[in-house]
Amino acid sequence: MNFTMKTMLVSPLGLALYVLGTLCLAGCASQNAKIYTLIALDTGAHVAGPPVTISVATVGVPKYLDQPQLVRRSSDVELNVAEFERWGEPLGNMMQRVLAEDLVRRLPLGSVVTTSRTLTGNETSSIELDLSRFEAEAGGTIVLDAQWRIRRNGRNVSSPQTTRIIRRPTDATTPATVKAMSDAIADLAARMAVKIR
């Protein structure tokens, strides 16, 4: 009788400890997050012409993309947030850095492209960029929709340029998706470089 009463008193505590232990083990065994970054792509050769010095201003990113996880569209109205696939830095900062690297590779030799975080004070122009879309559609195709303009000498502003770039990943994996996104930024940089030169 005494043994039965002890067992009944300890059972709820034992059950709670068992559940807590199971949850801890499940948490430890959960999938590790994979971290991704966009990359600048080399063209192989600089174009001819006098060097330029330009800055890439802060990149405007839509709120639905401004988060650590990669976002894909699963339909026209539904977004899929990949909990275990994350960016290595905020998307706007990464886009700004990679675009600056892509631009310097597409401008005349000796050109300097900075970001708003690395200004030298010698920049004669700046690029202002706002993204409205930059993600994979349900079928995997990357869509980059952006509006940008060039501000020269802090005063003269070019007319806004609206750009849509579509890139198809080589396969359905996340690395291929991120590479296609990098390709899209390189395409954008090439279009900007024509206007800058």
Side-chain angles (χ1 to χ4, degrees):
M1 179 73 176
N2 192 20
F3 177 79
T4 306
M5 288 189 67
K6 270 189 179 179
T7 304
M8 289 174 64
L9 289 173
V10 173
S11 285
L13 178 60
L15 180 61
L17 289 173
Y18 172 78
V19 171
L20 183 60
T22 302
L23 289 174
C24 286
L25 286 173
C28 293
S30 66
Q31 183 179 355
N32 291 327
K34 292 183 179 177
I35 308 300
Y36 295 93
T37 187
L38 298 167
I39 57 170
L41 302 175
D42 204 343
T43 59
H46 289 270
V47 298
V52 299
T53 304
I54 190 165
S55 171
V56 178
T58 302
V59 175
V61 175
K63 290 294 183 187
Y64 78 95
L65 291 175
D66 192 16
Q67 53 188 312
Q69 298 91 348
L70 274 72
V71 176
R72 295 179 177 86
R73 284 189 187 266
S74 45
S75 72
D76 288 343
V77 295
E78 186 177 357
L79 300 172
N80 179 28
V81 178
E83 185 58 39
F84 296 106
E85 297 176 338
R86 297 175 176 248
W87 293 119
E89 61 185 302
L91 184 58
N93 292 354
M94 185 166 38
M95 178 81 177
Q96 183 187 26
R97 174 180 56 78
V98 172
L99 180 60
E101 292 174 17
D102 272 326
L103 278 170
V104 80
R105 296 172 184 190
R106 285 156 181 77
L107 292 170
L109 195 62
S111 295
V112 177
V113 183
T114 64
T115 67
S116 57
R117 297 184 306 279
T118 61
L119 294 175
T120 65
N122 298 320
E123 294 83 3
T124 57
S125 304
S126 65
I127 293 176
E128 300 169 354
L129 171 65
D130 279 302
L131 299 175
S132 55
R133 280 191 67 186
F134 191 32
E135 77 272 352
E137 293 187 320
T141 301
I142 300 299
V143 177
L144 187 159
D145 285 332
Q147 190 173 71
W148 56 276
R149 61 186 182 175
I150 301 171
R151 186 180 296 274
R152 300 184 189 279
N153 301 316
R155 295 185 303 277
N156 299 330
V157 181
S158 70
S159 57
Q161 304 288 315
T162 300
T163 301
R164 167 168 273 215
I165 295 170
I166 296 174
R167 298 291 291 201
R168 183 82 184 158
T170 55
D171 58 52
T173 63
T174 301
T177 297
V178 173
K179 171 62 167 57
M181 294 176 79
S182 297
D183 290 340
I185 299 173
D187 286 353
L188 178 62
R191 298 182 193 196
M192 290 177 168
V194 171
K195 297 288 185 180
I196 294 167
R197 297 195 296 262

